[in-house]
Amino acid sequence: MTHMDGSSTMGSGETVIACVRCSKLARLQCPKCLELKLPRANASFCSQECFKASWSSHKLVHAGVKSEALRSDSPEGQISEALSRGWLYCLKKGQVRSSQLPFFDWTGSLRPYPISARRVVPDHISRPDWASDGIPKVEPNSDLQTRVEIKSGEQIERMRETCRVARQILDAAARAIGPGVTTDEVDEVVHEATVAAGGYPSPLNYHFFPKSCCTSVNEVICHGIPDARRLEDGDIVNVDVTVYLNGCHGDLNETFFVGKVDDFSQQLVQCTYECLEKAIASVKPGMRYREVGEVISRHASLSGFSVVKSYCGHGIGELFHCAPNIPHYARNKAVGIMKAGQIFTIEPMINAGSWRDRMWPDGWTAVTMDGKRSAQFEHTLLVTETGVEVLTARLPSSPNVFPWL
């Protein structure tokens, strides 16, 4: 570790930088990040202890620094390299692998690439009931599919901790994103950071989903599978993280810019962020679930964008998905009102063109019908007596990746 310039005041006029792990004043910087000339804000720690505790996930940020030769590899070269390592294309909801790209009437320019083998979770980590065979048992048969649970104080405290950890893991993924980085490498960051925190990555083997997070690039609306494709300058990519820890799940996602992104894509991503913020501001006891979609649709339509109708927000807690379902589009038929103690997600997916979607042959990746771009943001929310608490809110240590904040 190398000491950063300045004392606890960081010197005259110098910006105070928070520890990546705990948000305290940072005094140390990762020497490898110094060598690679990476931003100090993503490489600063308050102590050796925080540095060591973060190392398993932080070291993967270094993998994001690629040579120009690697960044300029052709798609054919990237695919050939992946196949030579035994990676295969994913088919049929993750239950089948193939060495051949499936035939499909692709809607945009993006294509699936081969994926790596499923990552291993250490035996000592507590896991949900689908971890071994891909089949949830408790969730589909629970009465919480039709009844909205009012969480106890003890459940809320567990959810707060789990959601805070989920936020830290998404932040680690955000720091790894850049041109030349594969979405598989982003998945590795998420997996290693989750395990290091003592958690299980909830998506892993959920209904046979093959990876530890979802990475949705450009025209992918949601549930994109991390693979061998390298992110390119100008891409947008959503990373969706859910962590199982303390017997409950914490869920959030954000859409990030890769390098220099065109103005229209920036407008789409910012509008999507604003749609979620406006929806959150409406959450309070007595609010109808169906009103959330009105708020989101009103703001999206002002910018000429459309709202995806096939996927919605959901209840969450000891179950990954449960009641209530919260559609994001206008004139929806959701029944019920919000009450203090309820916890659910709101996660609008906003498209540059048509709201309609199609499914890739992998059975997971939802893409826009017209091949135009899509963006998404998500938070896990607690309804309080007076309004709402964002359980997955950004932390002082969260990377500054959105120019409008």
Side-chain angles (χ1 to χ4, degrees):
M1 292 290 285
T2 303
H3 283 276
M4 297 169 62
D5 294 336
S7 64
S8 60
T9 60
M10 302 300 289
S12 176
E14 190 172 352
T15 302
V16 173
I17 296 178
C19 174
V20 167
R21 181 169 181 263
C22 72
S23 304
K24 293 180 181 177
L25 181 68
R27 301 174 183 275
L28 307 170
Q29 190 172 9
C30 169
K32 186 65 176 178
C33 289
L34 276 177
E35 177 187 331
L36 296 172
K37 299 181 179 179
L38 297 179
R40 284 198 306 165
N42 296 340
S44 302
F45 299 88
C46 66
S47 64
Q48 289 280 358
E49 289 70 25
C50 269
F51 177 63
K52 290 175 182 176
S54 302
W55 178 245
S56 62
S57 59
H58 175 72
K59 66 181 179 181
L60 298 171
V61 175
H62 307 149
V65 185
K66 299 285 186 178
S67 69
E68 286 301 317
L70 283 176
R71 279 198 287 265
S72 62
D73 271 354
S74 67
E76 293 79 10
Q78 295 173 41
I79 291 168
S80 177
E81 178 188 352
L83 290 171
S84 72
R85 295 202 298 263
W87 296 21
L88 296 168
Y89 292 101
C90 177
L91 301 172
K92 295 185 178 179
K93 294 286 285 186
Q95 297 181 74
V96 174
R97 300 287 186 273
S98 172
S99 60
Q100 299 296 318
L101 177 69
F103 177 79
F104 187 69
D105 183 18
W106 311 101
T107 66
S109 60
L110 196 70
R111 301 290 183 272
Y113 280 47
I115 69 170
S116 61
R118 196 169 85 197
R119 293 191 160 88
V120 176
V121 177
D123 290 341
H124 72 275
I125 301 272
S126 179
R127 59 201 68 208
D129 63 7
W130 58 81
S132 60
D133 64 4
I135 302 172
K137 290 86 174 172
V138 174
E139 183 175 287
N141 300 309
S142 171
D143 71 329
L144 295 182
Q145 296 305 330
T146 55
R147 175 178 65 84
V148 182
E149 182 178 37
I150 304 297
K151 302 291 195 288
S152 68
E154 184 269 341
Q155 286 176 307
I156 289 170
E157 283 306 311
R158 285 192 285 128
M159 284 293 291
R160 282 195 179 106
E161 171 62 16
T162 298
C163 287
R164 184 185 63 80
V165 170
R167 159 54 65 183
Q168 291 174 330
I169 291 164
L170 181 62
D171 288 348
R175 296 183 186 99
I177 288 170
V181 177
T182 68
T183 49
D184 183 82
E185 288 169 334
V186 175
D187 183 74
E188 183 181 9
V189 169
V190 169
H191 185 89
E192 294 298 330
T194 303
V195 169
Y200 181 94
S202 306
L204 186 62
N205 213 28
Y206 180 72
H207 294 289
F208 308 102
F209 187 81
K211 291 295 170 185
S212 298
C213 69
C214 301
T215 53
S216 300
V217 179
N218 296 342
E219 69 262 30
V220 178
I221 295 170
C222 62
H223 303 157
I225 299 172
D227 61 22
R229 180 185 179 274
R230 293 193 180 104
L231 293 170
E232 299 176 0
D233 189 68
D235 284 344
I236 60 173
V237 57
N238 178 275
V239 182
D240 194 336
V241 167
T242 311
V243 176
Y244 181 70
L245 182 68
N246 303 318
C248 55
H249 303 269
D251 190 2
L252 77 163
N253 73 56
E254 291 178 339
T255 300
F256 305 107
F257 301 129
V258 183
K260 183 173 176 55
V261 174
D262 66 86
D263 289 345
F264 186 73
S265 294
Q266 291 185 46
Q267 292 168 16
L268 171 66
V269 173
Q270 182 171 350
C271 177
T272 307
Y273 181 93
E274 291 167 352
C275 283
L276 176 57
E277 290 296 296
K278 289 179 180 295
I280 291 171
S282 74
V283 173
K284 61 184 178 181
M287 177 76 167
R288 293 182 177 91
Y289 300 130
R290 67 171 181 256
E291 293 295 325
V292 171
E294 302 294 335
V295 172
I296 290 169
S297 290
R298 190 178 306 120
H299 188 68
S301 63
L302 287 174
S303 297
F305 300 133
S306 65
V307 182
V308 173
K309 297 183 180 182
S310 301
Y311 303 93
C312 60
H314 56 88
I316 190 169
E318 292 170 357
L319 301 180
F320 191 175
H321 298 96
C322 56
N325 287 330
I326 302 182
H328 304 116
Y329 57 92
R331 296 181 296 280
N332 67 77
K333 306 299 183 185
V335 175
I337 62 171
M338 300 175 189
K339 298 178 181 179
Q342 294 176 351
I343 296 180
F344 49 78
T345 72
I346 298 178
E347 46 187 295
M349 289 143 272
I350 308 299
N351 291 352
S354 169
W355 61 266
R356 298 182 184 276
D357 61 280
R358 289 189 65 191
M359 183 70 69
W360 273 6
D362 60 33
W364 280 106
T365 305
V367 296
T368 57
M369 179 73 80
D370 53 16
K372 294 182 179 180
R373 291 187 167 187
S374 182
Q376 183 185 15
F377 284 85
E378 174 186 21
H379 276 305
T380 296
L381 309 169
L382 165 68
V383 183
T384 67
E385 295 291 346
T386 57
V388 63
E389 178 182 341
V390 182
L391 299 178
T392 47
R394 290 173 60 82
L395 303 169
S397 58
S398 295
N400 182 21
V401 293
F402 301 117
W404 58 84
L405 294 182

